[in-house]
Amino acid sequence: MQTELSSTLGAEHAVFGFTPFPAVAAAISRAGGFGVLGAVRYGAADDLARDLDWMQEHTEGLPYGLDVVMPAKKVEGVTEADIEAMIPEAHRTYVEETLAEHGVPPLPEGEASGWRITGWLEQVARSQLDVAFDYPIKLLANALGSPPPDVVRRAHDHGVLVAALAGSPRHARHHQEAGIDVIVAQGYEAGGHTGEIATMVLTPEVVRAVDPLPVLAAGGIGTGEQVAAGLALGAQGVWLGSVWLTTEEAELHSPLLTRKLLAAGPGDTVRSRALTGKPARQLRTEWTDAWDDPAGPGPLPMPLQGLLVADALTRIQKYETEALLGTPVGQIVGQMNSTRSVQAVFDDLTRGFERAIDRINRIAGR
Amino acid sequence: MQTELSSTLGAEHAVFGFTPFPAVAAAISRAGGFGVLGAVRYGAADDLARDLDWMQEHTEGLPYGLDVVMPAKKVEGVTEADIEAMIPEAHRTYVEETLAEHGVPPLPEGEASGWRITGWLEQVARSQLDVAFDYPIKLLANALGSPPPDVVRRAHDHGVLVAALAGSPRHARHHQEAGIDVIVAQGYEAGGHTGEIATMVLTPEVVRAVDPLPVLAAGGIGTGEQVAAGLALGAQGVWLGSVWLTTEEAELHSPLLTRKLLAAGPGDTVRSRALTGKPARQLRTEWTDAWDDPAGPGPLPMPLQGLLVADALTRIQKYETEALLGTPVGQIVGQMNSTRSVQAVFDDLTRGFERAIDRINRIAGR
């Protein structure tokens, strides 16, 4: 599975794997794909440096990338405490009431939230970049709009390509004008932040909108036949995030969450603002129901919602409260029915891709 | 583009075209596809017979099908008047207020609604079937659940295959148990009634759920690359509805509506209950906004909403009220940017399909 983009980046297959887990990202690159490590969970730059050291040791010189979350707009001198102060008390009460209804205990004294939202803040993302450019990353992806112009320049100075996620052709053209090199067209069915346009329509529309920039198809892709479909739509590669969550290498640290993912069907996700304040697809739970309930206060805008719920999510995960426990994941969760190694996922992807090509050639009479 | 299903039906290409217009359906079959005429707009069986006569004269012996709307559940002895009586007065007032706000005049004295919703009622659908089985239709599709068992038997007795639309794997398995022969997996991005699961995920899930029944991929398909993607996902054909709306043969009878369709982008549709009471994708207009407005009374359940708005939609269309004028259409409306003949659409589809196959073979190193 070779395209111009995968050749440029030095990957054997045009399969890009986004994951918050270094062990998964490294295994994707070793399997011949292009692993992209999500940095949003790293609060301190030191933690990121430690994991990038680990990536260096475990990728055998194969290429990989980093995904940060950096808003294009600069907010000067705003600290996390300033943002915390903007959260209405009624929302804090609603969080506590919802947790109490489900009997979720508080965190032990002195235990901080493990699920850090701080990566959403520009100053944190910038300190991560100061670290990242010391490593031979080949691609810097931004999950939230175009990165600021100086960051794009800095990446290019280091020979690093810049990718950005887009949910509409207009959004994609905006990235192109900002000097972005690779557009990830993220369809409605994708896990995480996503727009209204489905991959089947979004991919070719974005390909045409930003031609000749390379486009990766994201959303609804977890099998070889879906890889073939994404590439048939004109993409130069596919971008997979959800499928890695149930791999052996994933560090979910929650057997219950793994079980919920393995059991979920394609209709068991919801596009909700419960997690970050912007619509993000995730497992539907009584937690997302609480935030989508017209009788509740409703989610706050980004980044307030993320800060509001950070401790709550840590508590739900720590105490494995079944009715509330969720995670960002796409509609392909219905196809994630067994725990496999990253290599086994890759083998299935390449075999399924070959079968799909055989089949479509037969249909075409070739 | 030959599959087992298209061969069985005697069509050159596994491209199924759904349309309410006989001239479009016949042109699809003449172009080598399989035209499926939508019968919902026919109130009287005589009108259907007249148009099926016309189809016979204009399809040159090539195969075609019929699409009816028939609920699986039987409601004995209920007339349209009984259902009309169930509509709350507040909803009727809201319709009139919304029309008055936009200066939509009433219909002239004695002029009935042209946009008949009566096809939704089982007795009407049954009188249509009495006519339909006198013609050599090859496929009977039902847009709303499985048809009743006696209808399936009657179709099979006439050598007619039965197809039904499904929005989830569970829904598809239900059809299989009801003896349906062909499943149309209708993704979120499709025009008309549609569920939450996008085509990229729905198609392979339904293929696996009902194996070995043939599945058609529907939703988000209007170009040859999208046809290739649908077939790569395991479908035995593709089902296209929206793309024909802007063909030369389409009888929209509204130059303004045609202009709106040609100008719309992929984000200009909405999945709304405004039209029938069930979620159906359509152009977003101030009419759909009015029914999605939390301050309004909201849509009634099917079939009440359809009866409630029938005259209003006729008035909006007759007087071409720009802000309110819409139609069911899928997200591919963004790709419908010029008026072409059905044959030209077909030529573009087959050329685009061949290009997509060439491209994907290159990526696969073949």
Side-chain angles (χ1 to χ4, degrees):
Chain A
M1 255 178 274
Q2 272 281 352
T3 63
E4 206 180 318
L5 179 64
S6 63
S7 303
T8 302
L9 291 169
E12 186 186 346
H13 297 299
V15 175
F16 294 72
F18 167 80
T19 172
F21 308 119
V24 176
I28 291 167
S29 290
R30 287 199 309 273
F34 188 92
V36 179
L37 180 66
V40 70
R41 70 186 186 125
Y42 298 101
D46 284 357
D47 293 341
L48 176 61
R50 185 201 59 217
D51 279 1
L52 287 176
D53 282 335
W54 189 94
M55 287 289 290
Q56 274 305 105
E57 285 162 30
H58 293 84
T59 43
E60 303 167 3
L62 293 159
Y64 63 91
L66 190 71
D67 181 280
V68 295
V69 180
M70 172 168 272
K73 276 182 239 143
K74 226 182 171 109
V75 191
E76 293 289 353
V78 177
T79 68
E80 188 165 323
D82 297 334
I83 297 174
E84 287 272 6
M86 294 166 70
I87 296 174
E89 203 48 42
H91 280 78
R92 297 199 185 275
T93 307
Y94 189 69
V95 167
E96 288 308 322
E97 283 172 357
T98 307
L99 294 172
E101 263 172 43
H102 290 85
V104 184
L107 288 179
E109 194 73 36
E111 189 166 316
S113 166
W115 197 85
R116 297 311 301 163
I117 197 65
T118 40
W120 299 100
L121 299 176
E122 187 185 346
Q123 51 267 51
V124 177
R126 285 187 175 272
S127 75
Q128 291 178 347
L129 290 180
D130 291 338
V131 168
F133 288 126
D134 288 341
Y135 294 82
I137 58 169
K138 295 276 185 224
L139 181 81
L140 178 71
N142 189 27
L144 209 69
S146 310
D150 66 297
V151 172
V152 176
R153 271 196 306 274
R154 205 169 151 195
H156 289 168
D157 289 347
H158 281 84
V160 175
L161 292 184
V162 181
L165 268 67
S168 71
R170 185 167 40 184
H171 196 181
R173 272 190 298 268
H174 180 83
H175 288 325
Q176 185 175 32
E177 285 157 17
I180 304 301
D181 307 294
V182 179
I183 309 295
V184 182
Q186 167 107 329
Y188 168 83
E189 55 268 63
H193 291 125
T194 179
E196 299 261 15
I197 307 172
T199 299
M200 186 69 94
V201 174
L202 183 67
T203 307
E205 288 253 12
V206 169
V207 167
R208 266 186 287 276
V210 301
D211 180 61
L213 280 196
V215 173
L216 301 178
I221 302 181
T223 66
E225 58 211 337
Q226 289 161 334
V227 171
L231 295 173
L233 293 171
Q236 282 218 18
V238 289
W239 174 275
L240 285 70
S242 301
V243 74
W244 318 111
L245 287 173
T246 49
T247 57
E248 288 164 6
E249 290 89 342
E251 295 151 38
L252 280 186
H253 298 306
S254 167
L256 177 63
L257 184 54
T258 299
R259 281 201 302 279
K260 285 187 85 166
L261 287 169
L262 294 173
D268 291 335
T269 70
V270 65
R271 193 169 157 267
S272 162
R273 294 172 53 221
L275 199 60
T276 66
K278 280 190 189 283
R281 186 173 299 286
Q282 52 201 290
L283 277 186
R284 182 179 169 181
T285 65
E286 291 185 32
W287 180 255
T288 62
D289 286 351
W291 290 103
D292 293 336
D293 185 350
L300 294 169
M302 180 180 280
L304 301 186
Q305 180 73 11
L307 286 168
L308 170 66
V309 302
D311 277 351
L313 295 178
T314 304
R315 287 162 63 183
I316 292 167
Q317 192 145 5
K318 181 181 177 79
Y319 299 111
E320 295 205 305
T321 313
E322 180 147 14
L324 303 178
L325 185 62
T327 180
V329 70
Q331 292 186 335
I332 67 148
V333 70
Q335 304 163 194
M336 292 155 50
N337 302 319
S338 67
T339 300
R340 295 170 289 169
S341 66
V342 167
Q343 182 66 55
V345 170
F346 240 87
D347 292 344
D348 287 347
L349 281 178
T350 48
R351 273 196 298 261
F353 177 74
E354 296 294 333
R355 272 199 309 274
I357 305 287
D358 288 345
R359 186 170 178 283
I360 204 166
N361 276 322
R362 270 199 308 278
I363 293 175
R366 300 197 185 180
Chain B
M1 256 177 274
Q2 270 282 353
T3 64
E4 206 181 319
L5 179 64
S6 64
S7 303
T8 301
L9 291 169
E12 186 187 345
H13 297 300
V15 175
F16 293 71
F18 166 80
T19 170
F21 308 119
V24 175
I28 291 167
S29 291
R30 287 200 309 271
F34 188 92
V36 179
L37 180 65
V40 70
R41 71 185 186 126
Y42 298 100
D46 285 356
D47 293 340
L48 177 61
R50 186 201 58 216
D51 279 0
L52 287 176
D53 282 335
W54 190 93
M55 287 289 289
Q56 274 305 106
E57 285 161 31
H58 293 84
T59 43
E60 303 168 2
L62 293 159
Y64 64 91
L66 190 71
D67 182 278
V68 295
V69 180
M70 173 169 271
K73 276 182 239 144
K74 228 184 169 105
V75 191
E76 293 289 351
V78 176
T79 66
E80 190 167 321
D82 296 336
I83 298 176
E84 287 271 6
M86 295 166 69
I87 296 174
E89 203 47 42
H91 280 78
R92 296 198 186 275
T93 306
Y94 190 68
V95 167
E96 288 308 321
E97 283 172 359
T98 308
L99 294 172
E101 263 172 42
H102 290 86
V104 184
L107 288 179
E109 195 71 37
E111 189 167 316
S113 165
W115 198 85
R116 296 313 300 163
I117 198 66
T118 42
W120 299 100
L121 300 176
E122 189 186 344
Q123 52 266 53
V124 176
R126 284 188 175 271
S127 74
Q128 291 178 347
L129 290 180
D130 290 337
V131 168
F133 288 127
D134 288 340
Y135 293 82
I137 59 169
K138 297 275 185 223
L139 182 82
L140 178 71
N142 190 26
L144 206 70
S146 309
D150 67 297
V151 172
V152 175
R153 272 197 305 276
R154 205 170 151 195
H156 289 169
D157 289 346
H158 281 84
V160 175
L161 293 184
V162 181
L165 268 67
S168 72
R170 183 167 42 183
H171 196 182
R173 274 191 297 268
H174 180 84
H175 289 325
Q176 186 175 32
E177 286 156 17
I180 304 300
D181 308 291
V182 179
I183 309 295
V184 182
Q186 167 107 330
Y188 167 83
E189 55 269 63
H193 291 126
T194 180
E196 298 262 13
I197 308 172
T199 299
M200 185 69 95
V201 174
L202 183 67
T203 306
E205 288 254 12
V206 169
V207 167
R208 267 185 288 275
V210 300
D211 180 62
L213 281 196
V215 173
L216 302 178
I221 303 182
T223 66
E225 58 210 339
Q226 289 161 334
V227 171
L231 295 172
L233 293 171
Q236 282 218 18
V238 289
W239 174 275
L240 286 69
S242 301
V243 73
W244 318 111
L245 287 174
T246 48
T247 56
E248 289 164 5
E249 290 88 343
E251 294 151 38
L252 280 187
H253 296 308
S254 168
L256 176 63
L257 184 54
T258 299
R259 280 201 303 278
K260 285 186 86 166
L261 287 168
L262 294 172
D268 291 336
T269 70
V270 65
R271 192 169 157 268
S272 162
R273 294 172 54 222
L275 200 60
T276 67
K278 280 190 189 284
R281 184 171 300 285
Q282 52 202 288
L283 278 186
R284 182 179 169 183
T285 64
E286 290 185 32
W287 179 255
T288 62
D289 286 352
W291 290 101
D292 294 336
D293 185 351
L300 294 169
M302 181 182 279
L304 302 186
Q305 181 72 11
L307 285 169
L308 171 65
V309 302
D311 277 351
L313 295 178
T314 304
R315 287 163 62 184
I316 291 166
Q317 192 145 4
K318 181 182 177 79
Y319 300 110
E320 296 206 303
T321 313
E322 180 147 15
L324 303 179
L325 185 63
T327 181
V329 71
Q331 291 185 337
I332 67 148
V333 70
Q335 304 163 194
M336 292 155 51
N337 302 319
S338 66
T339 300
R340 294 170 290 169
S341 66
V342 167
Q343 182 65 55
V345 170
F346 240 86
D347 292 344
D348 287 348
L349 282 177
T350 47
R351 273 195 299 261
F353 177 73
E354 296 294 333
R355 272 198 310 271
I357 305 290
D358 289 344
R359 187 168 177 282
I360 204 166
N361 276 318
R362 270 198 309 276
I363 293 175
R366 300 197 185 178

